[in-house]
Amino acid sequence: MHLEAVLMSSELVGGQYLQNILPDEVLLHILSYLLEFDLSSVARVCRRFNVIANDRELWRKLYREVYEYLIPLINPEPKVFKFVHPDFCGMKNPWQHSFRLLYRSLHVRRGYAAKVEENPERWRGRDILYFETITAALSFLEENGCKNLEDNAMVLIHTGVYTNECLCLDDNITILGAAGGLNVAEQVVIERHTDSVCVCYEGAKETYVGYVTLKYSPPSGSLQFNKHYALEITEMCSPTFDHCIIRSTSVVGAAVGVEGCGADPHVKNCEISYCENVGLYITDHAEGLYENNDICFNGLAGVWVKNHANPILRNNEIHHGRDVGVFAFDFGLGYFEGNNIHNNRIAGFEVKAGANPTVIKCEIHNGQTGGIYVHENGRGHFSENKIHSNNFAGVWITSNSHPTVWKNEIYNGHQGGIYIFGDGHGLIEENDIHSNTLAGIQIRTGSNPIIRRNRIHHGLHGGIYIHEKGHGLIEDNEIFCNALAGVWVTTGSIPILRHNRIHSGKQVGVYFYDNGHGTLQDNDIFNHLYSGIQIRTGSNPLIKSNKIWGGHNGGILVYSGGLGVIEHNEIFDNAMAGIWIKTEGNPELRYNKIHDGRDGGICIFNNGRGLLENNDIFRNAQSGILISNHSHPTIRNNRIFDGQAAGVEITNGATATLEWNKIFNNRFDGICLATGVQPVLKGNVVYGNQDLVKKALDSNQCLYKLSSYTSFPMSDFFRCLTCKTTDTNAICISCAKICHAGHRVEFIRRDRFFCDCGAGTLETACTLRHDNISHDNDTVYNSSAPVESSTVAVGD
């Protein structure tokens, strides 16, 4: 009994020592030699052992030993595996959690099956099956009937290059690469030289493959088939591929091929790169979700979408391809959102042959050619994208294509913003097009788009350029602050422009030349440095119901054989004439209001022509109509009134037909004719004009007091030979009689001058000038030298 008591006492003391006295550090060191099952048994002994057996460091060591991963891998939702930082994941022991999550996996880890067989006692506390090859692990699952979702079949493929192995997946399984380092996929490589590396068949509905490299690399010079891929997705399956690297060195085919009805994979966070041909190829009614992938440095397109395929691509980066970024053709579809497409050798996005993708909120930039290229009956909806910094046009549309380009920002192009040519069409609406090197929009060669509600501004060239028989409906746009014309129309083009605001350009507002035609209706055209509208060289547009105002030059200029029907417009507050017609310009002006100009109303000179009828011309700072230099217009049924100078002035060998006009309440005379002018006058009603020139002369006032140097009143003018005046000087009759009394004075002609005596440019001081009258020392009259003159002496 005594001996038994001693033994029992010794056991109690030993148990108490282990449980209560042995330091934690020592116990932790002892437990570090145990495997996971033994460690779990120790955790059930007592509370203290449970705490120590669940120590994070113990499980971190076990986790790295078994799985190689440097940080915990969790599975927060179906078909999602992600690494988390152990200190910021919200778990008490993430190493242990991850260890248990992955524990029932099969491991493909070379040499480990032999280790277990050599020393089974050492591995009694671990229940893991190891295989030398991927094929052996998949065969084991097939033979044991556990390849289904409920059994949570999982295979971990450890560090290594696995050559000529094929992943043929036709049931639900999870396959994960397992390796240390920051990029697991780089260290787990599955490579094949003959057939596709990974093939998913019908039945692979919930399959997940993550963190591996799939590489198809046929021998150089071998016969290569375009049906072989690094990853092949066939009909009626929906696997997930996550954080994989997918490559192919084949010069045909693609790295990823998805084809057939019901092919609906989820490819995410993958790198599809350095392929000798296409990166991702989706065809034959296939679908799928492709997101957050890096698709780059591929020999041809980064993505092909063909033959009614309709994938969803979100938040991918598609870049540095040696061809296009995305190519949709042969009725390909697709929804592309939030992708960054850049630095591809050809277009960022190409659409042709009936393809109709939807492209939303992508950034398409720095292409070596264009941004978006739609051709050969291509369609597509492009909205809310940023398209910028491409070497050619941001968007190209040609050959009967009809895309919708809506709410995009298209800017900083090395050429134009949008280029529509070769019978291109399309709806271009609510875009912000700015800061491009060439025209914001160019339309040519039979193209006929709808351009609506865009902002086209701050271009280094023009706003819209329509040429070579271009058409188009252009309405409700704001076109402003462009370096050249706001709109150019030329070479047989016939667009319709209406309800646009065209303003603040550094040159012309709308420029028609070289047989440019079309309709310009109900637009606001204002604040240009040059004319609001210019028409020349055979151009014959309809200019109707526009407001043309606030220009730093004239309102409308018609010259060099320009034509045009100009009717029902309101033209006002321009710095120079409301309408200029010169050099064989021959427009028809009807029912316009031309008023409050800071110069004249209509100026016709240098062989200008034109029919002017039923216009209201009023409140202009200079003549209502000035006709000069051999011009010959027809002026009929107009009302010319309330001007600050004459109603109509004709000078310099010009003539005109004036019929049935009402000319009244102008500051100077109603109709003023220079020497030798013989117009056709019929039925005009001239009344109530203020005749201030006649009144000034009747009261012996200098006409400069009336005109200053800003206007040229029509009157008899003289030259003082005594004062040695030049051909560019003239004096009014009041100064001739008073200031130059006793001088030899020569009559020049009746014409438009201001008085140089009153202006202070002659040696003799003007005795009629008041000090508060401004004077000019440089301005010369703009009249040809008189054909005949008579010399008279004016006495006191």
Side-chain angles (χ1 to χ4, degrees):
M1 289 294 295
H2 178 70
L3 180 59
E4 291 177 359
V6 171
L7 291 173
M8 289 180 63
S9 176
S10 299
E11 290 175 0
L12 289 172
V13 171
Q16 289 179 351
Y17 181 77
L18 284 172
Q19 290 185 4
N20 301 316
I21 300 174
L22 188 68
D24 289 351
E25 293 81 4
V26 176
L27 186 56
L28 189 63
H29 181 73
I30 294 170
L31 296 185
S32 68
Y33 288 95
L34 301 182
L35 300 182
E36 52 272 14
F37 280 170
D38 298 329
L39 199 58
S40 296
S41 297
V42 168
R44 293 193 293 271
V45 170
C46 66
R47 183 174 297 172
R48 182 179 180 228
F49 279 24
N50 181 273
V51 171
I52 295 175
N54 285 302
D55 179 79
R56 287 165 62 111
E57 186 60 27
L58 283 177
W59 285 98
R60 185 189 68 82
K61 178 187 172 190
L62 281 174
Y63 177 79
R64 291 187 173 180
E65 177 186 306
V66 172
Y67 305 113
E68 300 189 63
Y69 298 132
L70 296 181
I71 55 177
L73 181 70
I74 65 171
N75 180 209
E77 57 186 274
K79 295 191 283 188
V80 175
F81 288 85
K82 66 179 183 178
F83 292 101
V84 296
H85 194 286
D87 297 330
F88 304 106
C89 61
M91 297 179 185
K92 185 176 181 180
N93 191 340
W95 305 100
Q96 186 183 54
H97 172 86
S98 184
F99 191 99
R100 289 174 175 171
L101 169 71
L102 303 172
Y103 194 69
R104 292 302 175 187
S105 306
L106 304 184
H107 290 246
V108 179
R109 195 170 191 181
R110 290 167 178 163
Y112 270 73
K115 284 185 180 181
V116 173
E117 290 177 3
E118 290 171 3
N119 190 1
E121 288 298 316
R122 169 67 184 88
W123 306 100
R124 272 195 317 165
R126 176 166 292 164
D127 185 16
I128 291 179
L129 289 176
Y130 291 101
F131 299 86
E132 290 295 304
T133 66
I134 301 169
T135 302
L138 296 180
S139 297
F140 177 84
L141 290 175
E142 184 73 33
E143 292 165 4
N144 289 274
C146 57
K147 271 176 65 176
N148 56 68
L149 186 61
E150 289 74 22
D151 289 337
N152 192 30
M154 185 181 296
V155 176
L156 298 183
I157 304 174
H158 286 262
T159 302
V161 178
Y162 299 84
T163 305
N164 290 325
E165 295 219 54
C166 178
L167 297 180
C168 294
L169 308 177
D170 58 3
D171 209 338
N172 298 320
I173 187 173
T174 297
I175 297 175
L176 294 171
L182 297 177
N183 193 331
V184 173
E186 286 183 347
Q187 301 177 67
V188 182
V189 180
I190 306 170
E191 184 174 9
R192 205 167 189 206
H193 304 307
T194 53
D195 298 308
S196 296
V197 179
C198 179
V199 185
C200 294
Y201 298 100
E202 183 177 355
K205 299 286 188 184
E206 303 295 330
T207 294
Y208 178 95
V209 178
Y211 301 97
V212 299
T213 292
L214 304 174
K215 185 176 182 181
Y216 175 54
S217 52
S220 178
S222 65
L223 185 62
Q224 299 177 23
F225 300 95
N226 60 10
K227 286 293 185 181
H228 293 161
Y229 309 97
L231 171 60
E232 182 177 352
I233 312 293
T234 65
E235 296 180 344
M236 307 308 296
C237 64
S238 54
T240 296
F241 287 80
D242 185 14
H243 286 99
C244 293
I245 299 172
I246 306 172
R247 292 176 179 165
S248 170
T249 60
S250 175
V251 296
V252 295
V256 180
V258 184
E259 52 188 308
C261 293
D264 190 20
H266 186 184
V267 180
K268 58 181 180 177
N269 305 310
C270 292
E271 179 188 314
I272 303 171
S273 61
Y274 295 99
C275 306
E276 290 299 321
N277 207 271
V278 177
L280 171 60
Y281 177 36
I282 309 163
T283 187
D284 298 345
H285 299 271
E287 297 181 349
L289 173 61
Y290 310 82
E291 58 183 351
N292 298 307
N293 301 289
D294 188 10
I295 304 173
C296 58
F297 297 103
N298 295 294
L300 290 182
V303 180
W304 273 14
V305 181
K306 178 184 177 185
N307 194 20
H308 304 283
N310 195 11
I312 296 174
L313 281 85
R314 282 197 177 103
N315 302 319
N316 303 283
E317 187 170 5
I318 305 168
H319 62 102
H320 288 96
R322 298 197 296 272
D323 201 271
V324 299
V326 179
F327 185 23
F329 62 108
D330 289 354
F331 302 99
L333 304 169
Y335 182 87
F336 299 80
E337 181 180 12
N339 302 285
N340 186 5
I341 304 171
H342 64 93
N343 290 103
N344 296 286
R345 191 177 69 86
I346 307 183
F349 208 115
E350 182 177 353
V351 182
K352 67 176 283 191
N356 190 15
T358 299
V359 183
I360 293 177
K361 295 181 179 178
C362 296
E363 186 172 2
I364 303 170
H365 61 103
N366 291 103
Q368 294 182 36
T369 57
I372 296 171
Y373 181 30
V374 188
H375 61 118
E376 296 181 36
N377 297 291
R379 298 180 67 84
H381 180 93
F382 301 87
S383 67
E384 300 179 73
N385 302 286
K386 289 184 178 293
I387 304 166
H388 66 92
S389 308
N390 296 288
N391 282 350
F392 293 172
V395 179
W396 287 20
I397 304 169
T398 185
S399 51
N400 293 302
S401 296
H402 203 307
T404 296
V405 182
W406 184 57
K407 290 188 175 181
N408 303 280
E409 185 179 6
I410 304 169
Y411 61 100
N412 287 349
H414 299 166
Q415 289 194 8
I418 299 177
Y419 181 29
I420 308 167
F421 65 104
D423 296 304
H425 302 281
L427 172 61
I428 315 298
E429 186 172 41
E430 294 190 35
N431 301 283
D432 188 9
I433 304 169
H434 65 92
S435 308
N436 295 288
T437 302
L438 297 183
I441 298 176
Q442 184 177 167
I443 305 168
R444 62 181 286 247
T445 50
S447 296
N448 190 16
I450 297 173
I451 312 292
R452 181 182 293 145
R453 292 195 292 274
N454 302 281
R455 298 175 76 246
I456 305 167
H457 60 101
H458 290 96
L460 304 181
H461 196 270
I464 300 178
Y465 180 28
I466 310 159
H467 60 121
E468 297 180 45
K469 299 182 179 180
H471 297 268
L473 172 60
I474 302 168
E475 61 182 1
D476 297 305
N477 302 282
E478 185 168 13
I479 305 168
F480 62 101
C481 295
N482 295 289
L484 299 183
V487 180
W488 293 20
V489 184
T490 183
T491 50
S493 298
I494 314 175
I496 297 173
L497 292 97
R498 62 191 185 199
H499 306 296
N500 302 284
R501 285 167 50 91
I502 306 169
H503 65 95
S504 306
K506 297 178 181 178
Q507 288 195 8
V508 180
V510 182
Y511 185 22
F512 296 90
Y513 70 103
D514 292 351
N515 295 297
H517 308 297
T519 299
L520 187 66
Q521 183 173 2
D522 293 314
N523 302 281
D524 268 356
I525 303 171
F526 60 96
N527 195 35
H528 293 92
L529 289 181
Y530 293 3
S531 303
I533 299 171
Q534 286 190 13
I535 306 169
R536 57 168 285 197
T537 50
S539 297
N540 190 17
L542 171 61
I543 312 294
K544 183 176 181 180
S545 302
N546 303 281
K547 288 187 177 181
I548 305 163
W549 56 280
H552 297 263
N553 201 289
I556 299 175
L557 170 60
V558 187
Y559 67 113
S560 297
L563 303 170
V565 175
I566 302 170
E567 60 185 15
H568 296 287
N569 301 283
E570 186 169 7
I571 305 168
F572 64 99
D573 191 33
N574 295 287
M576 300 187 72
I579 298 178
W580 285 23
I581 305 170
K582 67 175 187 175
T583 53
E584 307 298 335
N586 192 16
E588 298 177 12
L589 282 73
R590 295 188 180 94
Y591 301 105
N592 301 283
K593 290 184 178 181
I594 305 166
H595 64 96
D596 289 286
R598 287 168 270 164
D599 198 274
I602 299 175
C603 182
I604 307 169
F605 62 106
N606 288 353
N607 295 294
R609 301 286 187 266
L611 170 62
L612 287 66
E613 59 182 1
N614 297 301
N615 301 284
D616 267 1
I617 305 167
F618 59 96
R619 292 173 56 93
N620 296 287
Q622 301 294 335
S623 302
I625 300 176
L626 171 63
I627 306 166
S628 179
N629 298 97
H630 306 288
S631 298
H632 190 172
T634 298
I635 301 171
R636 181 183 297 137
N637 292 321
N638 301 281
R639 297 196 307 174
I640 306 165
F641 60 98
D642 289 1
Q644 296 301 304
V648 177
E649 292 184 309
I650 308 176
T651 182
N652 270 3
T655 187
T657 300
L658 279 78
E659 299 177 330
W660 313 111
N661 300 284
K662 291 183 178 181
I663 307 170
F664 59 96
N665 200 38
N666 295 285
R667 192 162 174 257
F668 298 169
D669 204 352
I671 299 176
C672 297
L673 306 178
T675 299
V677 170
Q678 295 180 337
V680 176
L681 302 174
K682 180 180 179 180
N684 300 286
V685 179
V686 182
Y687 66 97
N689 295 287
Q690 299 175 34
D691 293 330
L692 292 186
V693 173
K694 183 177 183 301
K695 291 176 181 177
L697 295 177
D698 287 347
S699 60
N700 290 323
Q701 293 182 32
C702 176
L703 288 186
Y704 191 79
K705 180 179 179 181
L706 182 67
S707 69
S708 184
Y709 61 87
T710 59
S711 65
F712 301 85
M714 181 80 73
S715 181
D716 292 340
F717 279 88
F718 300 82
R719 179 182 298 122
C720 181
L721 301 179
T722 303
C723 293
K724 299 180 180 179
T725 56
T726 69
D727 290 343
T728 61
N729 298 128
I731 58 176
C732 69
I733 192 169
S734 295
C735 288
K737 290 191 299 181
I738 298 173
C739 302
H740 297 265
H743 293 192
R744 293 179 66 240
V745 175
E746 178 184 69
F747 174 70
I748 302 175
R749 65 179 178 273
R750 182 176 182 82
D751 213 328
R752 300 176 70 248
F753 295 88
F754 68 78
C755 180
D756 282 284
C757 180
T761 61
L762 305 182
E763 293 179 0
T764 301
C766 182
T767 60
L768 303 179
R769 191 185 73 197
H770 298 283
D771 291 340
N772 61 347
I773 299 177
S774 59
H775 64 276
D776 177 74
N777 293 319
D778 301 308
T779 305
V780 297
Y781 65 84
N782 187 21
S783 299
S784 60
V787 177
E788 296 180 354
S789 66
S790 59
T791 303
V792 297
V794 181
D796 292 333

